[in-house]
Amino acid sequence: MIRLENVTKRYGETLAVDSLTLDIPAGEVCVLIGPSGCGKTTTLRMMNRLIEPTSGHIFVDEADVETLRPEQLRRGLGYAIQSVGLFPHLTVGENIVTVPKLLKWDKERMAARVEELLTLVGLAPSEYEGKYPRQLSGGEAQRVGVARALAADPPVLLMDEPFGAVDPLTRQRLQAEFVRIQRDLRKTVVFVTHDVDEAIRLADRIALMRGGRLQQYATPEEILDHPANKFVHDFMGADRALKRLGRVKVSDVMRTDVPTVDSSTRAADLRSRASCAEERFLYLVDGSGRLAGWFDCADLADGGGPESAMTSVDWRESAVASDASLKEALSRMLEFGFRSIAVVDGEGRLLGDVALPTIEAALGAGDTHVAAADGQGGARP
Ligand SMILES: Nc1ncnc2c1ncn2[C@@H]1O[C@H](COP(=O)(O)OP(=O)(O)OP(=O)(O)O)[C@@H](O)[C@H]1O
Ligand SMILES: [Mg+2]
C-alpha cells in the first residue's frame, strides 16, 4: 500500500532521513519508532507531501506521490498529529468534518458522519459535538483528532504521536480503543511513537530508526526475540520477556467461570461455600453483574463475619478491561499486590479473571519468573 524506495531528506548538513526503504502492506499498522530526531516526523510528512524528499520515491497504492496533486493525495490520507491541531474557534463537530466540507458533502451526510465517528471514538455525540477544543481534556481532544483523521474514510492513516499528550492511563485506554477500531476498519496505518510499549501493543510491524537510518523492520515478536543489532536490543529494553506480554490480550487467556456471589447470598451460605471452595476468593457482584468486591474465603472459613471478609471495590480501579494487555494486568496486580485480577466489560460487569500462573504460562516455560521480575515476589493478598 505504501512503499518507500531509497528516500532521503537532507537539511543542509543534516541527513534527517537516510535512504529509507520500507514496504507497508495494506491493512497493517506500521509503527515508526526511534529516539528524538531520528526522522520519524520527517518520514511521515514526506508521505503526504507536506515536505518533498531530497531523493528517492514514495508510492501510495502504486502511484508515485510525486505525480499526484497534494490535495488529491491528502484526501486519501488521514493525518493525526501529536499537538492534535484542532481549530480552536470551531466546534468538535465542525473540526471533524474539515475534510468532508472541502469535499462538499451535504449537511445530512456530514451530521451523520460526526455522530458515527464520535460514537466510534467513545464520546457521546449529543454532549461533545457542540463543545469547543478548549472545553476538552487532553484525551478527549486526541479522540477528536483521531475522529477527524477518519472523517473522509481515507484508506491510509498517518498518526504522529497521536496519544503523546495524555497521562499513562488515558493513553492505555486510547490504545485499547485504537486496537478495537482498527480491528473493524483495517486501515493502513503509519503510527509514530517513541514509546516502546505502545509500539509493541499496536504494531503489526515496527520500523526502528536511528539518525535517519532504518535499524530493523519486523514484527514485534521478531524484533524482541531477534534484535538486529545492539542498538535495537538496547532500545527495546532489558525486560523484553515482560514486554512480550503487551502482545497478549486479557480476553484471550482469562478464566471465565469465576466463582461469584451476590448481595442476596446469606452469611451461612457464604460460609459453607467458602469452606468447600477451592478458590480463596469469591467475587461479589451487584444485581446487574457488576463487580462490587470479593470475599476472602480463608477469612470466612476461620469464622470471621462476612463483613470482615469482604473487600468492596470500585471496578474502575480494581479490575482491568478485557481488551487490556497482560502487561497492564500484571502491572495492576503488582500495584495492588493481587495474585489475580478481575476482568470487566465497559459497564463493570464481571467477565472473568486472570491469575499470576496464567501470566507465567504466557511468558513461556523457562522464562523470567514474573513475580521475581519486579522484586515483589511476596505481594500476595
Ligand atoms: N525544517 C527543518 N530544518 C532543518 N532541520 C530539520 C527540519 N525538520 C527536521 N529537521 C531535523 O531532521 C532531523 C529529524 O527530525 P524529525 O522531526 O523527523 O525527528 P523525529 O524523529 O520526529 O523526532 P521527535 O521524536 O523528537 O519528534 C532532526 O535532526 C531535525 O533537527
Ligand atoms: Mg516527531
Side-chain angles (χ1 to χ4, degrees):
M1 185 75 189
I2 303 176
R3 195 163 82 246
L4 278 70
E5 282 180 8
N6 289 312
V7 172
T8 293
K9 179 68 188 182
R10 190 183 276 283
Y11 290 109
E13 290 297 289
T14 311
L15 263 177
V17 174
D18 188 0
S19 55
L20 178 64
T21 294
L22 207 58
D23 228 313
I24 304 170
E28 285 201 0
V29 179
C30 168
V31 172
L32 291 182
I33 190 169
S36 195
C38 73
K40 305 180 294 292
T41 297
T42 305
T43 302
L44 218 58
R45 289 166 69 89
M46 286 190 290
M47 287 180 186
N48 70 355
R49 284 190 74 189
L50 284 170
I51 52 178
E52 302 290 339
T54 310
S55 61
H57 292 276
I58 299 176
F59 300 88
V60 173
D61 211 6
E62 297 304 322
D64 189 330
V65 299
E66 247 178 83
T67 65
L68 301 173
R69 280 181 295 123
E71 317 81 74
Q72 198 183 352
L73 177 67
R74 271 168 229 154
R75 267 175 220 156
L77 307 174
Y79 195 45
I81 53 176
Q82 170 163 16
S83 51
V84 187
L86 298 178
F87 301 118
H89 56 289
L90 298 182
T91 64
V92 164
E94 290 162 346
N95 265 287
I96 291 175
V97 294
T98 307
V99 176
K101 216 165 179 178
L102 292 174
L103 298 175
K104 307 213 183 318
W105 287 17
D106 63 46
K107 278 208 167 65
E108 290 74 37
R109 187 171 171 208
M110 288 199 282
R113 189 67 178 148
V114 167
E115 179 158 352
E116 181 185 16
L117 285 169
L118 282 174
T119 309
L120 185 72
V121 298
L123 299 173
S126 55
E127 191 181 330
Y128 284 92
E129 186 188 341
K131 284 196 175 184
Y132 286 89
R134 68 186 141 75
Q135 299 170 303
L136 303 174
S137 74
E140 289 164 350
Q142 303 237 306
R143 285 170 207 216
V144 175
V146 171
R148 185 173 67 177
L150 288 167
D153 201 21
V156 175
L157 277 184
L158 306 178
M159 307 176 87
D160 196 350
E161 307 212 30
F163 310 144
V166 294
D167 62 276
L169 220 78
T170 305
R171 188 167 184 149
Q172 286 179 5
R173 223 167 278 145
L174 289 170
Q175 289 166 358
E177 260 158 40
F178 175 84
V179 169
R180 175 178 59 77
I181 293 172
Q182 173 61 6
R183 205 166 37 225
D184 296 337
L185 301 186
R186 286 270 148 224
K187 302 279 182 194
T188 307
V189 183
V190 187
F191 189 111
V192 169
T193 183
H194 42 236
D195 179 334
V196 172
D197 290 312
E198 185 163 270
I200 290 170
R201 176 160 189 192
L202 303 183
D204 293 303
R205 280 162 215 259
I206 295 176
L208 176 50
M209 295 174 70
R210 178 198 199 184
R213 294 199 71 102
L214 185 64
Q215 303 295 304
Q216 188 166 7
Y217 181 45
T219 64
E221 286 82 1
E222 271 168 54
I223 231 169
L224 287 168
D225 292 345
H226 307 289
N229 56 39
K230 183 168 181 320
F231 174 77
V232 175
H233 175 276
D234 293 349
F235 192 86
M236 297 311 286
D239 55 342
R240 297 205 308 285
L242 291 175
K243 288 216 165 69
R244 223 172 282 126
L245 291 178
R247 296 291 290 171
V248 185
K249 274 214 316 274
V250 161
S251 58
D252 292 338
V253 295
M254 70 182 178
R255 172 180 72 147
T256 51
D257 56 336
V258 290
T260 58
V261 291
D262 62 39
S263 48
S264 66
T265 313
R266 287 176 310 129
D269 293 343
L270 254 183
R271 201 164 284 124
S272 75
R273 273 198 66 182
S275 62
C276 62
E278 287 173 17
E279 300 292 331
R280 177 160 163 195
F281 293 94
L282 302 173
Y283 288 102
L284 175 68
V285 295
D286 71 10
S288 337
R290 253 183 235 115
L291 177 71
W294 49 76
F295 288 96
D296 184 340
C297 294
D299 229 8
L300 277 169
D302 286 350
E307 306 277 281
S308 72
M310 188 177 94
T311 306
S312 296
V313 297
D314 181 342
W315 61 266
R316 286 176 199 81
E317 285 164 15
S318 304
V320 292
S322 59
D323 55 6
S325 72
L326 274 193
K327 182 147 199 291
E328 279 161 47
L330 176 62
S331 60
R332 284 302 190 77
M333 288 156 79
L334 293 172
E335 180 185 336
F336 293 118
F338 296 162
R339 299 266 302 163
S340 57
I341 191 152
V343 181
V344 295
D345 70 10
E347 262 82 61
R349 283 183 294 257
L350 183 66
L351 300 174
D353 70 356
V354 172
L356 265 189
T358 309
I359 293 180
E360 254 178 314
L363 274 172
D367 230 321
T368 333
H369 192 271
V370 181
D374 235 31
Q376 293 209 17
R380 293 168 176 82

